[in-house]
Amino acid sequence: MSLMDNLPVLVVILPLLATPLVLLLGGFGRAWAIATVACWVTLAATAALLQRVSVEGPVSYRLGNWAPPWGIEYRIDLMGAYVLLIVVAIAALVLVFARQSVEKEITAERRVPFFAAYLLVVAGLAGITVTGDAFNLFVFLEISSLASYALISLGRDRRALTAAFQYLVMGTIGATFFIIGVGFLYMMTGTLNMMDLAERLPEVADTRMVRAAFAFIVVGLGLKLALFPLHMWMPDAYAYSPSVVSALLAATASKVAVYALLRFLFTIFGLEFALGDVPLDLLLMALGLIGILFASLVAVFQENVKRMLAYSSVAQIGYIVLGISLANTTGVTASILHLFNHALMKGALFLALGAVVYRIGSARIQDFHGLGYKMPWTMAGFVIGGLSLIGVPPTAGFISKWFLVTATLEQNLWPVAVVVLVGSILALIYVWRVVEAAYFIKPASQGIDQAGDVSEAPLSLVLPVWVLAAANIWFGIHTDLSLGIATRASAALLGGAP
Amino acid sequence: MIEIGHYNYWVAIFLMMAGFYVVIAQGNLVKKLVGLSLFQTSVFILYISMGKVADGAPPIQTPGVEIYSNPLPHVLILTAIVVGVATTAVGLALVVRIRESYGTVEEEEIHAMAQPADEKGEG
Amino acid sequence: MVAIAVIKQRNLFTIAMLTGIYSFLTAGLFMDLDAVDVAFTEAAVGAGVTTVLMLSALRLVGSQQRPTRHPAIALLVVGVTGAALIYGTLDAPNFGDPNAPAHTHVAPRYIEQGPVEVGMPNMVTAVLASYRGHDTLGETVVILTAGLAVLLLLGIQSGPEIQHNVSAMGRHMVLRVMVKLLLPFILLFGLYVQMHGDFGAGGGFQAGVIVATGFVLYDLVFGEGNLRKVLPTVWLTRIAAIGVLIYGGVGVFSLFAGHPFLDYSALADDPVHGQHLGVLLVEAGVGLTVFSTVLIIFYAFSGRRRQQ
């Protein structure tokens, strides 16, 4: 077998096996270097894989050379490769940022394990996107979750600990619900392989057990992706964790959970069952809409910018779920597109914020006064990310919002379109609060410690911010790559063709 | 074997719900973890009981035995047990740290302390 | 019954012990349901490791719990969830029904072909290490992750704080002699379990736990300094990492041999032989990782205690 044939497994085992190497070779600089190299090589492998999938169609890989459904299968279709690309690309960029940020925020003896855990998060998330086996998905879910609980708890604020604990409890309940559901499916079909499940489920679809399994899997994954009202763990977790961790998790973890949900809804249960037989579409739509309004409103009143962005993430999940609930090609395209674009914008925003924290040691809005002039590059990156979040053309955020609104209008759902617009206005308000503080309010002169000595963040922090900010504009203008793949992926999902 | 129909599942479900209740209703963080592991262990019972085949033997090949119980759920649960313990260990470590920085492991007291006092030192 | 007692009890020490008993009962139940491997693991891991962890954590956080409120909303959530589960099981296959889909689709191949294709009588080990070997790699990584997480949380204790020969148990002569006598047997038993996973119940997980328990026992009776000098946390972390590397290395080896990842047939000329070798190797990796992670976690908790 050639290198190309092994791409599906390489994208997972590169970060996975880099972890013990980090632990064995130790040293902060080396740990960072190994992690960074591993992530960039993985990124190259992912790009090659995406290229191959987009030409040849879904790729299957037999682990241990056992034929599915007996052995575990990796199966990568366009959507999987696309989400994988988001995860690995963000992880690789954040690592560039991480060297200096971690040196500032994490105590010396914890830095090596920090990078090991970081790699484990990446490996776990990558595993979820490529696996074609329901139970294997659970295993990788737990790898990434356990590692992220540890990473979150490293925040300097003591509330990071309680946030991590709450996430641990919620996350474990979610995972347990998920395996209850998978167990029920196994009882009815005798298989754990996703394709095999999809084939055998229609026969037994009209049983209570399958319906219960469906409910448990949706609720379990809903907890993981912070679907309103199961989002309670998320704002704290993102607000109090170290800057690097917030950026990584906000841009990737919830995306992967959405991916898993899409996979189960459309590939395994099938459109008819998932959104037809069960009134899930209405429920998802309602939750999505409430999520948008509620979380955006709460975000407006936050004093801590990190927390504001975290609530905004809950709202963005609302948009994504809304798109799914429309169950037409445009809606699902909008959702998949927004997965990508939201990763770009939140990545840019959280990294810019990380750079601010690096310099002034605070994420409170009143400490932003005058920052627009002291850290011009960082704040400009923040503004671009913010514009994209609001959905202003020509940013990437505009494209996904546009598609979402088009999709609602296709189904004559005027009120829903209005809610989407209201959400954007609320986003405008909370982004404006930061912009106002940074550019239009003179810093209070009475001796806050950052008085005169704040300067622009170092290049290794500004560069990733700007790469992402530029990507926000690039993908707002050149939509071929992101939109093209999203369209094809959603067509494949809805067509039932795997 | 006596026909027990679905009772096996119901017993497991009862235990699960007992654990789940502890997780939600209890304010003590250690007890939450206990509830969580109770919840998980009961799910294991559900899996293992679905793997049982009437008159089956343990799935280790023995001469003269024809019917074996299903090995697959056993494998899955072996994995899940380990995951469960890993979660408990991390959870307990978190509780220890919480106790050190807040002086308590009761959820309500932590909430009462966390809200106003920390706003200044926020980072 | 025990479960109910767990809910009612307020003293956390009692709860920790009761959970241990609950785990043991569960293990007995698994035994009855033919899941010998699972029963073994639950007894060692669930009843053993978890209880020890709970107890050492409780030493740090105190054992009395305040009276709690009983919010109706919790009951409601639990009620709805339970009802959904019961609803789901209403048309489930009957208990023990050999014609249930779970037993007729994928499983027969494991039972009929497992001993032939993988070359070992214990089908659970065959499925665990070969058919679903990737899950087990993931699981080993989960353990490593837990070790890392505990390290990150509780920190690495270094030399100066170690008190030599001051043991948790005092200086009981009888205890010391007993432990000295028992220790070789525990270790031997651990190795036996490690090597015989392919024939009987057992394997890397159980063995790792047993050996680690032996060390913990020694540690408790003879004081923590001695063991830590021989096996400091840094080394344990490395051993855990090496365990994962062995497992992954087997997979990478098969990649280089032109086979898919984790195809053990690549390890020898005869595929069945290769399978056997592969399973032994990965079990060894698992054993190392489990052993050292359990010790890391134990050190971390007990180290924290000394610090206070």
Side-chain angles (χ1 to χ4, degrees), chain B residues 1-6 8-10 13-22 24-28 30-35 37-39 41-42 44-46 48-62 66-83 85-90 92-97 99-100 105-109, chain C residues 3-4 6-10 12 15 19 22 26 29-30 32-38 41-42 45 49-50 53-54 57-58 60-61 64-66 68-71 74-75 77-78 81-82 85-86 89-98 102-103 106-107 110-111 115 121-124 127-128 132 135 139 142-143 146 149-150 152-154 199-201 205-206 297 301 304 308:
Chain B
M1 178 154 294
I2 319 154
E3 191 57 58
I4 57 174
H6 295 139
N8 59 320
Y9 304 129
W10 295 346
I13 289 170
F14 172 75
L15 292 172
M16 268 189 240
M17 290 309 111
F20 193 31
Y21 175 77
V22 174
I24 304 181
Q26 295 287 342
N28 184 296
V30 178
K31 210 156 172 196
K32 266 183 192 292
L33 287 177
V34 171
S37 87
L38 195 66
F39 184 30
T41 314
S42 322
F44 306 159
I45 299 180
L46 178 82
I48 298 296
S49 74
M50 85 170 79
K52 171 76 180 171
V53 175
D55 302 322
I60 296 174
Q61 197 186 36
T62 334
E66 292 291 319
I67 307 172
Y68 296 101
S69 281
N70 189 343
L72 186 56
H74 300 180
V75 174
L76 303 182
I77 290 318
L78 277 175
T79 309
I81 288 178
V82 172
V83 171
V85 174
T87 314
T88 310
V90 177
L92 283 173
L94 270 171
V95 171
V96 169
R97 284 288 303 279
R99 159 83 189 189
E100 284 174 8
V105 289
E106 298 287 340
E107 201 175 33
E108 285 172 358
E109 291 174 17
Chain C
I4 296 172
V6 172
I7 306 177
K8 290 269 173 226
Q9 264 297 332
R10 285 230 201 92
L12 294 172
I15 290 175
T19 342
Y22 178 73
T26 315
L29 188 64
F30 288 162
D32 191 46
L33 292 168
D34 297 337
V36 281
D37 275 284
V38 183
T41 313
E42 178 68 35
V45 176
V49 177
T50 313
L53 278 179
M54 287 268 174
L58 284 181
L60 295 170
V61 299
Q64 268 305 326
Q65 184 201 355
R66 298 197 327 158
T68 47
R69 64 246 135 83
H70 286 258
L75 267 181
V77 173
V78 171
T81 320
L85 281 168
I86 303 255
T89 51
L90 282 181
D91 51 13
N94 275 338
F95 175 72
D97 180 1
H103 309 315
V106 172
Y110 299 140
I111 295 175
N122 187 345
M123 301 154 201
V124 174
V127 178
L128 182 86
R132 296 188 67 87
D135 266 356
E139 182 187 356
V142 167
I143 299 171
V150 173
L152 279 169
L153 280 165
L154 298 184
F199 298 113
F205 285 101
Q206 296 91 329
I297 295 175
F301 277 99
R304 208 65 179 183
Q308 285 190 329

Side-chain angles (χ1 to χ4, degrees), chain A residues 247-306:
Chain A
L248 176 74
L249 293 182
T252 60
S254 52
K255 310 295 166 295
V256 171
V258 172
Y259 161 83
L261 184 68
L262 280 170
R263 180 60 78 218
F264 270 89
L265 283 184
F266 294 122
T267 310
I268 297 181
F269 284 99
L271 184 61
E272 303 245 308
F273 178 84
L275 302 180
D277 298 358
V278 191
L280 186 73
D281 48 350
L282 285 178
L283 184 68
L284 281 182
M285 186 180 295
L287 292 180
L289 290 175
I290 300 172
I292 294 172
L293 290 179
F294 172 81
S296 304
L297 260 179
V298 177
V300 170
F301 295 102
Q302 292 304 315
E303 287 304 315
N304 178 329
V305 183
K306 250 178 157 179

Side-chain angles (χ1 to χ4, degrees), chain A residues 40 167 181 195 214 222 341 378:
Chain A
W40 283 94
Y167 185 21
M195 296 320 296
F214 182 67
N341 292 341
T378 308

Side-chain angles (χ1 to χ4, degrees), chain C residues 207-232:
Chain C
V209 171
I210 290 170
V211 175
T213 319
F215 279 96
V216 169
L217 191 63
Y218 180 86
D219 198 70
L220 282 176
V221 175
F222 288 93
E224 284 153 5
N226 301 332
L227 187 54
R228 275 160 173 266
K229 239 185 343 199
V230 186
L231 277 174

